[in-house]
């Protein structure tokens, strides 16, 4: 069942998601060549502690860390590693917190260092634009199929290969609630969007040629592109109002 949230509940979710956005910004600034995933994970935990919130992913379904760090061909659910991050790496940080029982969830991808190749730029721009185009159609009366269409069309415009089997979700007192928010029309649900829904929208794509071309690593978590092509993932949690979407995981 899809739970519609009250104004008071959305206020809690607003606080949770704002904290996520703030911490992601700090982690991005700290991700310089030489830092390890383990260092970033520790920082994420410390920043959560400072704000009296709990990292949402630690132990979630058995996940062994506080944050998902997916580097280069890793698409999502990467486990923080000891290996130092290098200049030019494409780094995705997916982070969540629990504030007063309510969940926040967002993700960003960026390239480490100053120099960014045109292909990496296209990858990041394409997935972030797909996220914003998806959010733009999140309004009462439209359906989740419209969201998937906006995301998929944008990714294709940027010549990116979408990942269809993973996607967004409702969010509230649980980290993953109904509905599933697909990034591809083929497996999107024809569910009408209503005011009071709170959704995490999260397109992910690769620079590869084939859509939905991924595999899971032996660690049981990390999803990587099968052809080793670079991947990006952007996520915002949003609240649906009568007028459209309010992005909750945004820094003012
Ligand atoms: Mg999510």
């Amino acid at each position: 069942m899809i739970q519609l949230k009250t104004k008071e509940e959305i206020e809690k979710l607003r606080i949770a998601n704002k904290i996520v956005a703030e911490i992601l910004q700090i982690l991005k600034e700290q991700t310089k060549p030489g830092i390890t995933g383990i260092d970033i994970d520790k920082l994420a935990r410390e920043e959560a502690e400072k704000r009296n919130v709990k990292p949402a992913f630690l132990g979630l379904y058995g996940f062994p860390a506080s944050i998902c760090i997916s580097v280069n061909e890793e698409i999502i659910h990467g486990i923080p590693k000891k290996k130092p991050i290098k200049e030019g790496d494409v780094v995705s940080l997916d982070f969540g917190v629990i504030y007063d029982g309510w969940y926040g969830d967002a993700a960003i991808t960026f390239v480490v260092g100053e120099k960014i190749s045109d292909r990496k730029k296209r990858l990041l721009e394409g997935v972030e634009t797909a996220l914003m185009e998806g959010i733009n159609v999140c309004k009462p009366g439209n359906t989740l199929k419209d969201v998937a269409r906006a995301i998929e069309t944008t990714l294709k415009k940027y010549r990116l290969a979408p990942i269809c089997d993973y996607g967004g979700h409702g969010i509230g007192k649980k980290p993953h609630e109904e509905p599933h928010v697909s990034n591809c029309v083929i497996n999107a649900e024809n569910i009408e969007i209503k005011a009071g829904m709170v959704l995490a929208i999260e397109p992910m794509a690769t620079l590869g040629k084939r859509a939905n071309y991924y595999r899971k690593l032996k660690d049981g978590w990390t999803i990587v592109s099968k052809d080793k092509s670079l991947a990006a993932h952007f996520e915002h949690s949003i609240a649906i109002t009568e007028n459209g979407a309010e992005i909750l995981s945004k820094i003012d």
Side-chain angles (χ1 to χ4, degrees):
M1 208 185 72
I2 300 172
Q3 286 173 347
L4 301 181
K5 274 78 180 180
T6 64
K7 275 199 175 125
E8 292 72 28
E9 291 171 338
I10 289 174
E11 178 53 24
K12 301 271 190 186
L13 286 159
R14 193 178 281 123
I15 296 169
N17 278 288
K18 205 173 166 177
I19 292 172
V20 171
E22 270 173 26
I23 295 177
L24 278 175
Q25 196 52 43
I26 292 168
L27 299 177
K28 179 183 174 182
E29 281 159 20
Q30 296 298 321
T31 304
K32 303 205 173 89
I35 196 169
T36 70
I38 302 285
D39 297 332
I40 299 169
D41 184 66
K42 184 164 170 267
L43 260 174
R45 238 177 308 134
E46 287 168 358
E47 293 299 328
E49 235 166 72
K50 272 189 215 167
R51 291 164 177 81
N52 287 311
V53 292
K54 279 198 188 122
F57 302 157
L58 185 61
L60 182 67
Y61 316 122
F63 189 73
S66 296
I67 184 167
C68 299
I69 307 179
S70 307
V71 181
N72 296 330
E73 73 271 19
E74 297 172 354
I75 306 165
I76 49 166
H77 301 165
I79 300 170
K81 296 177 186 64
K82 279 189 222 152
K83 190 180 162 190
I85 284 167
K86 308 183 301 293
E87 171 111 19
D89 279 347
V90 177
V91 177
S92 294
L93 303 177
D94 187 352
F95 188 57
V97 304
I98 314 168
Y99 164 78
D100 202 14
W102 295 87
Y103 280 80
D105 187 5
I108 53 172
T109 304
F110 52 90
V111 175
V112 178
E114 304 293 314
K115 282 175 283 172
I116 304 178
S117 71
D118 287 348
R119 291 176 79 246
K120 288 175 188 169
K121 207 174 156 199
R122 170 163 60 86
L123 171 67
L124 299 189
E125 259 184 41
V127 182
E128 193 169 19
T129 306
L131 170 62
M132 298 322 288
E133 294 294 332
I135 290 172
N136 276 340
V137 294
C138 282
K139 48 179 120 186
N142 284 348
T143 68
L144 294 181
K145 212 166 249 237
D146 296 322
V147 179
R149 189 175 301 109
I151 289 173
E152 199 177 353
T153 307
T154 309
L155 292 176
K156 288 202 171 138
K157 207 157 79 185
Y158 281 85
R159 287 177 286 128
L160 300 175
I163 302 299
C164 299
D165 292 349
Y166 294 87
H169 48 89
I171 180 167
K173 279 205 148 178
K174 288 185 190 148
H176 299 119
E177 297 182 354
E178 283 180 48
H180 174 68
V181 184
S182 178
N183 296 316
C184 302
V185 176
I186 192 164
N187 47 2
E189 293 185 84
N190 231 335
I191 292 172
E192 195 178 317
I193 296 168
K194 293 198 170 94
M197 282 184 177
V198 178
L199 305 170
I201 311 290
E202 47 182 319
M204 56 199 84
T206 75
L207 279 171
K209 287 196 168 53
R210 283 175 63 173
N212 215 28
Y213 201 49
Y214 68 89
R215 66 187 177 92
K216 192 186 269 184
L217 293 186
K218 287 204 183 87
D219 64 18
W221 284 102
T222 316
I223 304 297
V224 300
S225 59
K226 241 179 183 170
D227 53 8
K228 295 222 160 96
S229 58
L230 297 172
H233 172 218
F234 282 86
E235 175 180 21
H236 270 311
S237 291
I238 63 168
I240 309 298
T241 70
E242 295 298 341
N243 307 317
E246 177 195 338
I247 299 176
L248 304 177
S249 50
K250 188 174 75 175
I251 306 167
D252 299 323

